[in-house]
Amino acid sequence: MRTIAIGVLGLGNVGTGTLQLLRDNRDAIEARVGARLDVRAVLVRDPNKPRDVELGGARLTTRPADILDDPEIEIVVELIGGLDPARDHVLRALRAGKHVVTANKALLAERGEQIFAEASQRGLAVFFEGSVAGGTPLLRSLREGLASDRIEALTGIVNGTSNYILDAMTRTGARYEDALRAAQEAGYAEADPTLDVDGSDAAHKLALLALVSFGVRVDPGAIHREGVTGIDPFDIKTADELGYVIKSLAIARRSARGVSLRVHPTMVPKTHVLAGVHGSYNACLVESRALGRSLYYGRGAGPMPTGVAVVSDVIEVARLITGRASHEDAGARLLPKSGAQPERVDPLPLDELECENYLCIHVPNQPGVLGRCAACLGRHGVSIKRMFQEAPRGDAPVSMVIFTESVPERSVAAALAEMSTFDILSRPTDRIRILDPDTID
Ligand SMILES: NC(=O)c1ccc[n+]([C@@H]2O[C@H](COP(=O)([O-])OP(=O)(O)OC[C@H]3O[C@@H](n4cnc5c(N)ncnc54)[C@H](OP(=O)(O)O)[C@@H]3O)[C@@H](O)[C@H]2O)c1
């Protein structure tokens, strides 16, 4: 039987799961591919670190050239993470004629144009199922399962760390800092969680979802993002009392005017399907023209779940090599349908968005304050749907809660900007957009 040699860059969480699955399912994979998959070498930083997986015949190396310059290696699996040196390794692998599998969303969202162009020119594959929603076969479903449909919108919980934190705050009433610490202790948040909690990781994934679903390339830096760090237990409790949960959503929608992309905390009605996505799970609600709504749900991270996605990609690439799958323009197969090069677009400005909002204004318990804030909202055309205030306790500031009608983003922004100049605010106003269950917007 033919052997396909593989080089793996990185043996951390995902690398370990990947090697484990390749070993555990060796016979089934061989039967599917028509070749034996042989991991020749694994690149790491520290060769003396204890590893949680049996390496078999693979050797650990700290020299990238042992993989990238080995003419026998046909598939390089990049699981180092980050931009550098991952980008150089991936480009070097492609230039040496090797197919690439990666779970690195930051790399593909930030530097994908160069990488995909290099792959496409050479008829090589760059597959990246593990980069969005971990093991849940979301990209494959969008690319293959919905190939006969037109995807109009996606609303996703694509960052398990943020979801875990918000979920813990909802269940226990914990403050953000305490929920983050619990997430770190449970292994659901990195020591430096910045990219997860500030919305950057979700923005990277949203850029890849827009590429696969809409065939457009977007600079992830241009995607509007708000993190979960400002969410207060009072917001969570108020949301709960009024029938909502707060979720960090990544939302993509295309219209005749263009593509809108955004990541921000959102109040989701408890009856909505995304309200039931708990802990570190991921989910993506897709709206496509013919099928309507479909939901993709599963574990968004972890060695074995992400390993499942990576190994599925390795199998697909290996089938291209053995001729069991079509080799025709493998580099473009990740692109939607036709394989046409994606158009580079700027996301629509957020100003164009209209939605209902939750505002929590923190003010002293004094006569006239309410009227001043309400008048400010009115001046900017922000209509109030309902409002209430918690019972005052002595001289302590009170939290005034306002739900707005569906109003343009620019009106809310202008009202909040004016209000921020008021000397009466005891701290900045909290604002959370509300999901409209009818439009999934
Ligand atoms: N963790 C998840 O659940 C998850 C889910 C989806 C996608 N991803 C993506 O998968 C990728 C890998 O994530 P991970 O969590 O597995 O990372 P990780 O646990 O930090 O592992 C990184 C591995 O790469 C090696 N490495 C790092 N820099 C290197 C360098 N300059 N030269 C050689 N080796 C280097 C490390 O070597 P040492 O072991 O010697 O330190 C380690 O084995 C990332 O792109 C991440 O975004 C992860």
Side-chain angles (χ1 to χ4, degrees), residues 370-380 384:
L370 171 63
R372 204 170 153 198
C373 294
C376 172
L377 291 172
R379 262 196 304 285
H380 292 281
I384 295 173

Side-chain angles (χ1 to χ4, degrees), residues 8-17 42-51 60-64 78-82 84-86 89 102-107 129-135 187 190 201 205 299-307 310:
V8 178
L9 312 178
L11 188 55
N13 289 305
V14 185
T16 301
V42 182
L43 179 75
V44 292
R45 256 179 318 212
D46 177 2
N48 300 316
K49 205 190 252 185
R51 305 288 166 181
L60 281 188
T61 178
T62 55
R63 290 173 14 101
E78 185 280 305
L79 301 170
I80 288 177
D84 294 310
H89 293 345
T102 178
N104 191 336
K105 55 263 171 175
L107 177 67
E129 184 62 60
S131 62
V132 184
E190 307 268 343
D201 174 77
K205 291 166 176 167
R299 285 203 181 278
M304 295 306 259
T306 313
V310 171

Side-chain angles (χ1 to χ4, degrees), residues 206-269:
L206 197 56
L208 295 180
L209 286 168
L211 175 67
V212 174
S213 306
F214 305 154
V216 295
R217 197 179 300 291
V218 180
D219 172 8
I223 296 177
H224 176 88
R225 75 199 63 177
E226 292 168 32
V228 296
T229 52
I231 301 295
D232 189 277
F234 180 81
D235 302 327
I236 300 248
K237 184 170 141 286
T238 310
D240 179 57
E241 286 167 4
L242 295 170
Y244 294 95
V245 286
I246 301 176
K247 295 286 182 194
S248 175
L249 297 187
I251 301 173
R253 177 171 288 276
R254 69 169 149 187
S255 66
R257 288 179 294 117
V259 172
S260 92
L261 301 169
R262 53 203 165 95
V263 174
H264 53 69
T266 311
M267 281 200 182
V268 176

Side-chain angles (χ1 to χ4, degrees), residues 134-158:
T136 315
L138 174 59
L139 300 184
R140 206 166 253 104
S141 303
L142 297 171
R143 202 181 72 209
E144 311 282 346
L146 296 178
S148 59
D149 205 348
R150 180 183 160 89
I151 298 166
E152 306 280 14
L154 302 105
T155 307
I157 293 172
V158 293

